Amino acid sequence: LKDVCLDLAAGEVHAFLGANGAGKSTLIKILSGAYTLDTGTVKVDGVAVDMSDHSPEAAFRLGIFTIYQNFHLIPHLTVAENICLTDLSTGGKRSVNWSEMRAKAEAALAAIGLDIKPGTVVNRLTVSQQQMLEIAIAVSQNARIIIMDEPTAAISQRETEKLFDLIRDIKKRGVGIIYISHRLEEIQ
């Protein structure tokens, strides 16, 4: 990447288009903490942030969530466990409050209109449901920016329309969205 400048305001959706090798993935990997930038700055709310530890955790703390084509869900855990995974890993607790976890999961699923049970094991979900679960996790963690990498690559037209409705809803909540696609018909 060279001389890239991107401004993403709250509630905006930006589409990244381009041929393979154009730099789309490199840019999102920098924003998501997977790659370190050589020069330049990343700013959040106009303030330069340190992305030098190039970790997804740094991006997560800034409210930047990336939903890749290969999901980052743990397939043998339940929906609720996946939604609350960061709470479990950072809480320092010796026990799990299952009813609290289930309530948080139900709220996260309801917030995006996803009708699945919190106790469902993730590997039993469809690809579309897993993608929506990733979005529910981002929303439940107060994402400020959600990056979606080819989100319609493996879902049907009906599921695509549901995804677009969800994107419109998330946009209204003030979340910035970066949408990567090779499908020109989706961009409008």
Short mmCIF file of all heavy atoms in Angstrom, two decimals, residues 122-187:
data_model
loop_
_atom_site.label_atom_id
_atom_site.label_comp_id
_atom_site.label_asym_id
_atom_site.label_seq_id
_atom_site.Cartn_x
_atom_site.Cartn_y
_atom_site.Cartn_z
N VAL A 122 -22.07 -24.32 17.86
CA VAL A 122 -21.81 -23.53 16.65
C VAL A 122 -21.67 -24.39 15.40
O VAL A 122 -22.12 -24.00 14.32
CB VAL A 122 -20.58 -22.62 16.85
CG1 VAL A 122 -20.09 -22.02 15.55
CG2 VAL A 122 -20.92 -21.51 17.83
N ASN A 123 -21.08 -25.57 15.51
CA ASN A 123 -20.89 -26.39 14.30
C ASN A 123 -22.20 -26.92 13.73
O ASN A 123 -22.22 -27.52 12.67
CB ASN A 123 -19.88 -27.51 14.52
CG ASN A 123 -20.32 -28.53 15.54
OD1 ASN A 123 -21.47 -28.57 15.98
ND2 ASN A 123 -19.38 -29.37 15.95
N ARG A 124 -23.31 -26.65 14.41
CA ARG A 124 -24.63 -27.03 13.88
C ARG A 124 -25.32 -25.89 13.15
O ARG A 124 -26.41 -26.05 12.61
CB ARG A 124 -25.51 -27.52 15.02
CG ARG A 124 -24.98 -28.79 15.62
CD ARG A 124 -25.99 -29.48 16.44
NE ARG A 124 -25.44 -30.76 16.87
CZ ARG A 124 -25.78 -31.38 17.96
NH1 ARG A 124 -26.69 -30.83 18.75
NH2 ARG A 124 -25.25 -32.53 18.28
N LEU A 125 -24.69 -24.72 13.12
CA LEU A 125 -25.27 -23.56 12.45
C LEU A 125 -24.92 -23.56 10.97
O LEU A 125 -23.88 -24.07 10.56
CB LEU A 125 -24.74 -22.26 13.09
CG LEU A 125 -25.00 -22.04 14.57
CD1 LEU A 125 -24.32 -20.76 15.03
CD2 LEU A 125 -26.49 -22.02 14.86
N THR A 126 -25.78 -22.93 10.17
CA THR A 126 -25.47 -22.74 8.76
C THR A 126 -24.37 -21.68 8.64
O THR A 126 -24.09 -20.95 9.59
CB THR A 126 -26.70 -22.26 7.98
OG1 THR A 126 -27.05 -20.94 8.44
CG2 THR A 126 -27.88 -23.21 8.13
N VAL A 127 -23.79 -21.58 7.45
CA VAL A 127 -22.77 -20.56 7.21
C VAL A 127 -23.34 -19.17 7.46
O VAL A 127 -22.71 -18.33 8.10
CB VAL A 127 -22.21 -20.68 5.77
CG1 VAL A 127 -21.33 -19.49 5.42
CG2 VAL A 127 -21.44 -21.97 5.60
N SER A 128 -24.54 -18.93 6.98
CA SER A 128 -25.18 -17.63 7.19
C SER A 128 -25.39 -17.35 8.67
O SER A 128 -25.14 -16.23 9.14
CB SER A 128 -26.52 -17.59 6.45
OG SER A 128 -27.19 -16.39 6.71
N GLN A 129 -25.84 -18.33 9.42
CA GLN A 129 -26.04 -18.14 10.86
C GLN A 129 -24.72 -17.86 11.57
O GLN A 129 -24.66 -17.03 12.47
CB GLN A 129 -26.72 -19.36 11.47
CG GLN A 129 -28.17 -19.51 11.08
CD GLN A 129 -28.75 -20.82 11.55
OE1 GLN A 129 -28.11 -21.88 11.53
NE2 GLN A 129 -30.01 -20.78 12.01
N GLN A 130 -23.66 -18.53 11.15
CA GLN A 130 -22.35 -18.28 11.75
C GLN A 130 -21.88 -16.86 11.46
O GLN A 130 -21.33 -16.18 12.32
CB GLN A 130 -21.32 -19.30 11.25
CG GLN A 130 -21.56 -20.69 11.79
CD GLN A 130 -20.53 -21.68 11.31
OE1 GLN A 130 -19.34 -21.38 11.26
NE2 GLN A 130 -20.97 -22.89 10.98
N GLN A 131 -22.12 -16.41 10.24
CA GLN A 131 -21.75 -15.05 9.88
C GLN A 131 -22.53 -14.04 10.72
O GLN A 131 -21.96 -13.08 11.25
CB GLN A 131 -22.02 -14.82 8.39
CG GLN A 131 -21.64 -13.44 7.92
CD GLN A 131 -21.88 -13.34 6.44
OE1 GLN A 131 -23.01 -13.46 5.99
NE2 GLN A 131 -20.82 -13.14 5.70
N MET A 132 -23.82 -14.26 10.87
CA MET A 132 -24.65 -13.38 11.69
C MET A 132 -24.20 -13.44 13.16
O MET A 132 -24.23 -12.42 13.86
CB MET A 132 -26.12 -13.75 11.58
CG MET A 132 -26.69 -13.60 10.19
SD MET A 132 -26.62 -11.91 9.60
CE MET A 132 -27.56 -12.06 8.11
N LEU A 133 -23.77 -14.61 13.61
CA LEU A 133 -23.27 -14.74 14.98
C LEU A 133 -22.02 -13.89 15.15
O LEU A 133 -21.86 -13.21 16.17
CB LEU A 133 -22.98 -16.21 15.31
CG LEU A 133 -22.34 -16.48 16.67
CD1 LEU A 133 -23.16 -15.90 17.81
CD2 LEU A 133 -22.11 -17.98 16.85
N GLU A 134 -21.12 -13.88 14.17
CA GLU A 134 -19.93 -13.04 14.25
C GLU A 134 -20.34 -11.56 14.37
O GLU A 134 -19.75 -10.81 15.15
CB GLU A 134 -19.05 -13.22 13.00
CG GLU A 134 -18.36 -14.55 12.96
CD GLU A 134 -16.87 -14.46 13.22
OE1 GLU A 134 -16.40 -13.46 13.79
OE2 GLU A 134 -16.18 -15.42 12.86
N ILE A 135 -21.36 -11.16 13.64
CA ILE A 135 -21.85 -9.78 13.71
C ILE A 135 -22.45 -9.51 15.09
O ILE A 135 -22.22 -8.46 15.68
CB ILE A 135 -22.85 -9.48 12.58
CG1 ILE A 135 -22.13 -9.57 11.22
CG2 ILE A 135 -23.50 -8.12 12.77
CD1 ILE A 135 -23.06 -9.56 10.02
N ALA A 136 -23.21 -10.47 15.61
CA ALA A 136 -23.80 -10.32 16.95
C ALA A 136 -22.71 -10.15 18.00
O ALA A 136 -22.84 -9.33 18.92
CB ALA A 136 -24.68 -11.53 17.28
N ILE A 137 -21.62 -10.90 17.86
CA ILE A 137 -20.51 -10.77 18.80
C ILE A 137 -19.92 -9.36 18.72
O ILE A 137 -19.69 -8.71 19.75
CB ILE A 137 -19.44 -11.85 18.53
CG1 ILE A 137 -20.00 -13.23 18.89
CG2 ILE A 137 -18.15 -11.55 19.31
CD1 ILE A 137 -19.15 -14.39 18.40
N ALA A 138 -19.69 -8.88 17.50
CA ALA A 138 -19.12 -7.54 17.33
C ALA A 138 -20.03 -6.48 17.94
O ALA A 138 -19.57 -5.59 18.67
CB ALA A 138 -18.88 -7.26 15.85
N VAL A 139 -21.32 -6.58 17.67
CA VAL A 139 -22.28 -5.60 18.20
C VAL A 139 -22.33 -5.68 19.73
O VAL A 139 -22.35 -4.66 20.41
CB VAL A 139 -23.67 -5.79 17.56
CG1 VAL A 139 -24.73 -4.97 18.26
CG2 VAL A 139 -23.63 -5.44 16.08
N SER A 140 -22.31 -6.90 20.26
CA SER A 140 -22.38 -7.06 21.72
C SER A 140 -21.13 -6.53 22.42
O SER A 140 -21.18 -6.20 23.60
CB SER A 140 -22.60 -8.53 22.11
OG SER A 140 -21.42 -9.29 21.96
N GLN A 141 -20.05 -6.45 21.71
CA GLN A 141 -18.79 -5.92 22.27
C GLN A 141 -18.62 -4.44 21.94
O GLN A 141 -17.53 -3.90 22.05
CB GLN A 141 -17.59 -6.72 21.74
CG GLN A 141 -17.58 -8.17 22.16
CD GLN A 141 -17.40 -8.34 23.66
OE1 GLN A 141 -16.76 -7.53 24.32
NE2 GLN A 141 -17.97 -9.39 24.21
N ASN A 142 -19.71 -3.79 21.53
CA ASN A 142 -19.71 -2.36 21.23
C ASN A 142 -18.73 -1.97 20.13
O ASN A 142 -17.97 -1.01 20.26
CB ASN A 142 -19.46 -1.53 22.49
CG ASN A 142 -20.53 -1.75 23.52
OD1 ASN A 142 -21.72 -1.74 23.21
ND2 ASN A 142 -20.13 -2.01 24.75
N ALA A 143 -18.76 -2.73 19.06
CA ALA A 143 -17.89 -2.43 17.92
C ALA A 143 -18.15 -1.02 17.42
O ALA A 143 -19.29 -0.55 17.39
CB ALA A 143 -18.15 -3.42 16.79
N ARG A 144 -17.09 -0.35 17.06
CA ARG A 144 -17.19 0.98 16.45
C ARG A 144 -16.98 0.88 14.95
O ARG A 144 -17.48 1.69 14.19
CB ARG A 144 -16.15 1.88 17.09
CG ARG A 144 -16.38 1.96 18.60
CD ARG A 144 -15.35 2.76 19.30
NE ARG A 144 -15.54 4.15 18.89
CZ ARG A 144 -14.57 5.05 18.95
NH1 ARG A 144 -13.39 4.72 19.39
NH2 ARG A 144 -14.81 6.29 18.58
N ILE A 145 -16.21 -0.14 14.55
CA ILE A 145 -15.95 -0.40 13.14
C ILE A 145 -16.06 -1.90 12.92
O ILE A 145 -15.45 -2.68 13.66
CB ILE A 145 -14.53 0.07 12.73
CG1 ILE A 145 -14.39 1.58 12.92
CG2 ILE A 145 -14.22 -0.33 11.28
CD1 ILE A 145 -12.96 2.08 12.78
N ILE A 146 -16.83 -2.29 11.92
CA ILE A 146 -16.92 -3.70 11.55
C ILE A 146 -16.44 -3.82 10.11
O ILE A 146 -16.94 -3.13 9.21
CB ILE A 146 -18.35 -4.26 11.69
CG1 ILE A 146 -18.82 -4.18 13.14
CG2 ILE A 146 -18.40 -5.71 11.19
CD1 ILE A 146 -20.26 -4.64 13.35
N ILE A 147 -15.45 -4.68 9.90
CA ILE A 147 -14.91 -4.94 8.57
C ILE A 147 -15.44 -6.30 8.13
O ILE A 147 -15.27 -7.30 8.84
CB ILE A 147 -13.37 -4.95 8.59
CG1 ILE A 147 -12.85 -3.61 9.12
CG2 ILE A 147 -12.82 -5.26 7.20
CD1 ILE A 147 -11.36 -3.62 9.45
N MET A 148 -16.11 -6.33 6.98
CA MET A 148 -16.68 -7.57 6.46
C MET A 148 -15.97 -7.94 5.17
O MET A 148 -16.04 -7.22 4.18
CB MET A 148 -18.18 -7.41 6.19
CG MET A 148 -18.98 -7.10 7.41
SD MET A 148 -20.74 -6.92 7.00
CE MET A 148 -21.39 -6.44 8.59
N ASP A 149 -15.28 -9.07 5.18
CA ASP A 149 -14.50 -9.52 4.04
C ASP A 149 -15.30 -10.54 3.24
O ASP A 149 -15.49 -11.67 3.68
CB ASP A 149 -13.18 -10.13 4.53
CG ASP A 149 -12.26 -10.51 3.39
OD1 ASP A 149 -12.47 -10.06 2.25
OD2 ASP A 149 -11.29 -11.24 3.65
N GLU A 150 -15.78 -10.12 2.08
CA GLU A 150 -16.57 -10.99 1.18
C GLU A 150 -17.69 -11.70 1.93
O GLU A 150 -17.80 -12.93 1.90
CB GLU A 150 -15.65 -12.02 0.50
CG GLU A 150 -14.61 -11.43 -0.40
CD GLU A 150 -15.13 -11.02 -1.77
OE1 GLU A 150 -16.25 -11.42 -2.15
OE2 GLU A 150 -14.42 -10.29 -2.46
N PRO A 151 -18.57 -10.94 2.58
CA PRO A 151 -19.57 -11.59 3.45
C PRO A 151 -20.63 -12.40 2.72
O PRO A 151 -21.29 -13.23 3.35
CB PRO A 151 -20.20 -10.40 4.17
CG PRO A 151 -20.01 -9.25 3.26
CD PRO A 151 -18.70 -9.49 2.59
N THR A 152 -20.80 -12.21 1.41
CA THR A 152 -21.84 -12.95 0.70
C THR A 152 -21.29 -14.10 -0.13
O THR A 152 -22.02 -14.72 -0.88
CB THR A 152 -22.65 -12.01 -0.21
OG1 THR A 152 -21.76 -11.44 -1.17
CG2 THR A 152 -23.34 -10.93 0.58
N ALA A 153 -20.01 -14.39 0.04
CA ALA A 153 -19.36 -15.41 -0.80
C ALA A 153 -20.03 -16.78 -0.71
O ALA A 153 -20.08 -17.50 -1.70
CB ALA A 153 -17.88 -15.52 -0.45
N ALA A 154 -20.55 -17.14 0.46
CA ALA A 154 -21.08 -18.49 0.63
C ALA A 154 -22.52 -18.52 1.11
O ALA A 154 -22.95 -19.49 1.72
CB ALA A 154 -20.19 -19.26 1.60
N ILE A 155 -23.28 -17.45 0.85
CA ILE A 155 -24.67 -17.44 1.30
C ILE A 155 -25.61 -17.19 0.12
O ILE A 155 -25.20 -16.68 -0.91
CB ILE A 155 -24.91 -16.42 2.44
CG1 ILE A 155 -24.62 -14.99 1.97
CG2 ILE A 155 -24.06 -16.77 3.65
CD1 ILE A 155 -24.95 -13.92 3.02
N SER A 156 -26.87 -17.53 0.32
CA SER A 156 -27.87 -17.42 -0.74
C SER A 156 -28.32 -15.96 -0.93
O SER A 156 -28.00 -15.09 -0.12
CB SER A 156 -29.10 -18.26 -0.39
OG SER A 156 -29.81 -17.67 0.69
N GLN A 157 -29.07 -15.72 -1.99
CA GLN A 157 -29.59 -14.38 -2.26
C GLN A 157 -30.51 -13.91 -1.13
O GLN A 157 -30.46 -12.76 -0.71
CB GLN A 157 -30.35 -14.36 -3.60
CG GLN A 157 -30.88 -12.99 -3.98
CD GLN A 157 -29.78 -11.94 -4.14
OE1 GLN A 157 -28.71 -12.22 -4.65
NE2 GLN A 157 -30.05 -10.73 -3.69
N ARG A 158 -31.36 -14.81 -0.63
CA ARG A 158 -32.26 -14.45 0.49
C ARG A 158 -31.46 -14.09 1.73
O ARG A 158 -31.76 -13.11 2.42
CB ARG A 158 -33.21 -15.62 0.77
CG ARG A 158 -34.30 -15.29 1.79
CD ARG A 158 -35.27 -16.44 1.97
NE ARG A 158 -34.66 -17.65 2.46
CZ ARG A 158 -34.36 -17.90 3.74
NH1 ARG A 158 -34.63 -16.99 4.65
NH2 ARG A 158 -33.82 -19.03 4.10
N GLU A 159 -30.42 -14.86 2.02
CA GLU A 159 -29.57 -14.57 3.17
C GLU A 159 -28.79 -13.27 2.96
O GLU A 159 -28.56 -12.53 3.90
CB GLU A 159 -28.60 -15.74 3.41
CG GLU A 159 -29.32 -17.01 3.86
CD GLU A 159 -28.46 -18.26 3.77
OE1 GLU A 159 -27.57 -18.32 2.89
OE2 GLU A 159 -28.68 -19.17 4.58
N THR A 160 -28.44 -12.99 1.71
CA THR A 160 -27.75 -11.74 1.38
C THR A 160 -28.64 -10.55 1.68
O THR A 160 -28.19 -9.55 2.25
CB THR A 160 -27.31 -11.73 -0.10
OG1 THR A 160 -26.37 -12.80 -0.31
CG2 THR A 160 -26.68 -10.42 -0.50
N GLU A 161 -29.91 -10.63 1.32
CA GLU A 161 -30.84 -9.54 1.61
C GLU A 161 -30.98 -9.32 3.12
O GLU A 161 -31.04 -8.18 3.59
CB GLU A 161 -32.21 -9.82 0.98
CG GLU A 161 -32.21 -9.74 -0.53
CD GLU A 161 -31.72 -8.40 -1.06
OE1 GLU A 161 -32.05 -7.34 -0.47
OE2 GLU A 161 -30.98 -8.40 -2.06
N LYS A 162 -31.00 -10.41 3.88
CA LYS A 162 -31.08 -10.30 5.33
C LYS A 162 -29.81 -9.63 5.88
O LYS A 162 -29.88 -8.78 6.76
CB LYS A 162 -31.27 -11.69 5.96
CG LYS A 162 -31.48 -11.65 7.44
CD LYS A 162 -31.78 -13.03 8.00
CE LYS A 162 -31.96 -12.94 9.50
NZ LYS A 162 -32.25 -14.21 10.12
N LEU A 163 -28.66 -9.98 5.30
CA LEU A 163 -27.40 -9.35 5.70
C LEU A 163 -27.44 -7.85 5.41
O LEU A 163 -27.03 -7.04 6.24
CB LEU A 163 -26.22 -10.00 4.98
CG LEU A 163 -24.87 -9.33 5.19
CD1 LEU A 163 -24.42 -9.44 6.65
CD2 LEU A 163 -23.83 -9.92 4.25
N PHE A 164 -27.93 -7.47 4.24
CA PHE A 164 -28.01 -6.05 3.89
C PHE A 164 -28.94 -5.29 4.83
O PHE A 164 -28.66 -4.15 5.20
CB PHE A 164 -28.44 -5.86 2.44
CG PHE A 164 -27.40 -6.30 1.43
CD1 PHE A 164 -27.77 -6.55 0.13
CD2 PHE A 164 -26.07 -6.46 1.77
CE1 PHE A 164 -26.82 -6.93 -0.82
CE2 PHE A 164 -25.12 -6.85 0.85
CZ PHE A 164 -25.50 -7.09 -0.45
N ASP A 165 -30.05 -5.90 5.22
CA ASP A 165 -30.94 -5.28 6.21
C ASP A 165 -30.20 -5.07 7.53
O ASP A 165 -30.33 -4.01 8.16
CB ASP A 165 -32.18 -6.15 6.46
CG ASP A 165 -33.15 -6.16 5.29
OD1 ASP A 165 -33.07 -5.24 4.42
OD2 ASP A 165 -33.98 -7.09 5.22
N LEU A 166 -29.42 -6.06 7.92
CA LEU A 166 -28.66 -5.95 9.16
C LEU A 166 -27.59 -4.85 9.06
O LEU A 166 -27.41 -4.07 9.99
CB LEU A 166 -28.01 -7.29 9.49
CG LEU A 166 -27.18 -7.35 10.76
CD1 LEU A 166 -27.98 -6.90 11.98
CD2 LEU A 166 -26.65 -8.76 10.97
N ILE A 167 -26.94 -4.75 7.92
CA ILE A 167 -25.94 -3.69 7.72
C ILE A 167 -26.60 -2.32 7.84
O ILE A 167 -26.06 -1.42 8.50
CB ILE A 167 -25.22 -3.85 6.36
CG1 ILE A 167 -24.29 -5.07 6.41
CG2 ILE A 167 -24.45 -2.60 5.98
CD1 ILE A 167 -23.70 -5.47 5.07
N ARG A 168 -27.77 -2.16 7.25
CA ARG A 168 -28.49 -0.88 7.37
C ARG A 168 -28.82 -0.57 8.83
O ARG A 168 -28.70 0.57 9.28
CB ARG A 168 -29.77 -0.90 6.52
CG ARG A 168 -29.51 -0.71 5.03
CD ARG A 168 -30.79 -0.55 4.24
NE ARG A 168 -31.43 -1.82 3.92
CZ ARG A 168 -31.08 -2.62 2.91
NH1 ARG A 168 -30.10 -2.28 2.11
NH2 ARG A 168 -31.71 -3.74 2.69
N ASP A 169 -29.21 -1.59 9.59
CA ASP A 169 -29.53 -1.40 11.00
C ASP A 169 -28.28 -1.03 11.80
O ASP A 169 -28.31 -0.12 12.63
CB ASP A 169 -30.16 -2.67 11.57
CG ASP A 169 -30.52 -2.52 13.04
OD1 ASP A 169 -31.29 -1.59 13.37
OD2 ASP A 169 -30.02 -3.32 13.85
N ILE A 170 -27.19 -1.71 11.57
CA ILE A 170 -25.93 -1.43 12.28
C ILE A 170 -25.45 -0.02 11.95
O ILE A 170 -24.97 0.71 12.82
CB ILE A 170 -24.86 -2.48 11.94
CG1 ILE A 170 -25.27 -3.85 12.48
CG2 ILE A 170 -23.50 -2.08 12.49
CD1 ILE A 170 -24.39 -4.99 11.98
N LYS A 171 -25.61 0.37 10.72
CA LYS A 171 -25.22 1.72 10.28
C LYS A 171 -26.00 2.77 11.08
O LYS A 171 -25.42 3.76 11.53
CB LYS A 171 -25.51 1.84 8.77
CG LYS A 171 -25.21 3.18 8.18
CD LYS A 171 -25.58 3.18 6.71
CE LYS A 171 -25.63 4.59 6.20
NZ LYS A 171 -26.03 4.70 4.82
N LYS A 172 -27.29 2.55 11.29
CA LYS A 172 -28.11 3.49 12.06
C LYS A 172 -27.64 3.61 13.50
O LYS A 172 -27.88 4.62 14.15
CB LYS A 172 -29.57 3.04 12.05
CG LYS A 172 -30.26 3.22 10.72
CD LYS A 172 -31.68 2.69 10.78
CE LYS A 172 -32.31 2.65 9.42
NZ LYS A 172 -33.59 1.93 9.43
N ARG A 173 -26.97 2.59 14.01
CA ARG A 173 -26.46 2.61 15.39
C ARG A 173 -25.14 3.37 15.49
O ARG A 173 -24.56 3.46 16.56
CB ARG A 173 -26.23 1.18 15.88
CG ARG A 173 -27.48 0.36 15.95
CD ARG A 173 -27.14 -1.06 16.33
NE ARG A 173 -28.27 -1.93 16.08
CZ ARG A 173 -28.49 -3.04 16.74
NH1 ARG A 173 -27.66 -3.43 17.68
NH2 ARG A 173 -29.53 -3.79 16.45
N GLY A 174 -24.65 3.87 14.36
CA GLY A 174 -23.43 4.65 14.38
C GLY A 174 -22.15 3.84 14.23
O GLY A 174 -21.06 4.35 14.48
N VAL A 175 -22.27 2.62 13.80
CA VAL A 175 -21.09 1.78 13.58
C VAL A 175 -20.61 2.00 12.15
O VAL A 175 -21.40 1.98 11.21
CB VAL A 175 -21.42 0.28 13.81
CG1 VAL A 175 -20.22 -0.60 13.50
CG2 VAL A 175 -21.90 0.06 15.24
N GLY A 176 -19.31 2.23 11.99
CA GLY A 176 -18.71 2.34 10.66
C GLY A 176 -18.47 0.95 10.10
O GLY A 176 -18.06 0.04 10.83
N ILE A 177 -18.73 0.76 8.82
CA ILE A 177 -18.60 -0.56 8.21
C ILE A 177 -17.73 -0.45 6.96
O ILE A 177 -17.93 0.44 6.13
CB ILE A 177 -19.98 -1.14 7.84
CG1 ILE A 177 -20.84 -1.31 9.09
CG2 ILE A 177 -19.83 -2.47 7.09
CD1 ILE A 177 -22.29 -1.64 8.82
N ILE A 178 -16.79 -1.37 6.86
CA ILE A 178 -16.00 -1.53 5.64
C ILE A 178 -16.44 -2.86 5.04
O ILE A 178 -16.37 -3.91 5.68
CB ILE A 178 -14.49 -1.53 5.92
CG1 ILE A 178 -14.08 -0.17 6.48
CG2 ILE A 178 -13.71 -1.86 4.64
CD1 ILE A 178 -12.63 -0.11 6.94
N TYR A 179 -16.92 -2.79 3.81
CA TYR A 179 -17.51 -3.94 3.13
C TYR A 179 -16.65 -4.28 1.91
O TYR A 179 -16.51 -3.45 1.00
CB TYR A 179 -18.94 -3.59 2.70
CG TYR A 179 -19.72 -4.71 2.08
CD1 TYR A 179 -20.57 -5.48 2.84
CD2 TYR A 179 -19.61 -4.99 0.72
CE1 TYR A 179 -21.30 -6.51 2.27
CE2 TYR A 179 -20.34 -6.02 0.13
CZ TYR A 179 -21.18 -6.78 0.92
OH TYR A 179 -21.89 -7.79 0.35
N ILE A 180 -16.06 -5.45 1.90
CA ILE A 180 -15.20 -5.87 0.80
C ILE A 180 -15.94 -6.87 -0.06
O ILE A 180 -16.51 -7.83 0.45
CB ILE A 180 -13.90 -6.49 1.35
CG1 ILE A 180 -13.17 -5.47 2.20
CG2 ILE A 180 -13.02 -7.00 0.21
CD1 ILE A 180 -12.07 -6.03 3.04
N SER A 181 -15.93 -6.63 -1.37
CA SER A 181 -16.63 -7.52 -2.28
C SER A 181 -16.01 -7.47 -3.67
O SER A 181 -15.40 -6.48 -4.05
CB SER A 181 -18.11 -7.12 -2.37
OG SER A 181 -18.80 -7.99 -3.24
N HIS A 182 -16.20 -8.54 -4.40
CA HIS A 182 -15.88 -8.56 -5.82
C HIS A 182 -17.15 -8.44 -6.66
O HIS A 182 -17.10 -8.39 -7.87
CB HIS A 182 -15.18 -9.88 -6.20
CG HIS A 182 -13.78 -9.95 -5.71
ND1 HIS A 182 -13.40 -10.76 -4.66
CD2 HIS A 182 -12.65 -9.31 -6.11
CE1 HIS A 182 -12.11 -10.62 -4.45
NE2 HIS A 182 -11.63 -9.75 -5.31
N ARG A 183 -18.30 -8.41 -6.00
CA ARG A 183 -19.58 -8.41 -6.70
C ARG A 183 -20.12 -6.99 -6.82
O ARG A 183 -20.66 -6.43 -5.88
CB ARG A 183 -20.58 -9.29 -5.94
CG ARG A 183 -20.13 -10.73 -5.87
CD ARG A 183 -21.08 -11.56 -5.08
NE ARG A 183 -20.64 -12.94 -5.05
CZ ARG A 183 -21.21 -13.90 -4.36
NH1 ARG A 183 -22.27 -13.61 -3.62
NH2 ARG A 183 -20.75 -15.12 -4.39
N LEU A 184 -19.98 -6.42 -8.00
CA LEU A 184 -20.39 -5.03 -8.23
C LEU A 184 -21.88 -4.81 -7.97
O LEU A 184 -22.29 -3.76 -7.50
CB LEU A 184 -20.04 -4.62 -9.66
CG LEU A 184 -18.56 -4.39 -9.92
CD1 LEU A 184 -18.33 -4.12 -11.41
CD2 LEU A 184 -18.04 -3.25 -9.10
N GLU A 185 -22.70 -5.83 -8.26
CA GLU A 185 -24.15 -5.67 -8.09
C GLU A 185 -24.54 -5.48 -6.63
O GLU A 185 -25.63 -4.99 -6.33
CB GLU A 185 -24.91 -6.84 -8.72
CG GLU A 185 -24.72 -8.18 -8.02
CD GLU A 185 -23.47 -8.95 -8.46
OE1 GLU A 185 -22.66 -8.43 -9.23
OE2 GLU A 185 -23.31 -10.10 -8.00
N GLU A 186 -23.68 -5.84 -5.70
CA GLU A 186 -24.00 -5.70 -4.28
C GLU A 186 -23.75 -4.29 -3.75
O GLU A 186 -24.28 -3.92 -2.72
CB GLU A 186 -23.13 -6.66 -3.45
CG GLU A 186 -23.44 -8.10 -3.66
CD GLU A 186 -22.54 -8.99 -2.81
OE1 GLU A 186 -21.61 -8.50 -2.17
OE2 GLU A 186 -22.82 -10.19 -2.78
N ILE A 187 -22.92 -3.55 -4.40
CA ILE A 187 -22.41 -2.31 -3.83
C ILE A 187 -23.50 -1.26 -3.65
O ILE A 187 -23.52 -0.57 -2.64
CB ILE A 187 -21.24 -1.76 -4.66
CG1 ILE A 187 -20.12 -2.82 -4.72
CG2 ILE A 187 -20.73 -0.45 -4.13
CD1 ILE A 187 -19.70 -3.37 -3.36
#
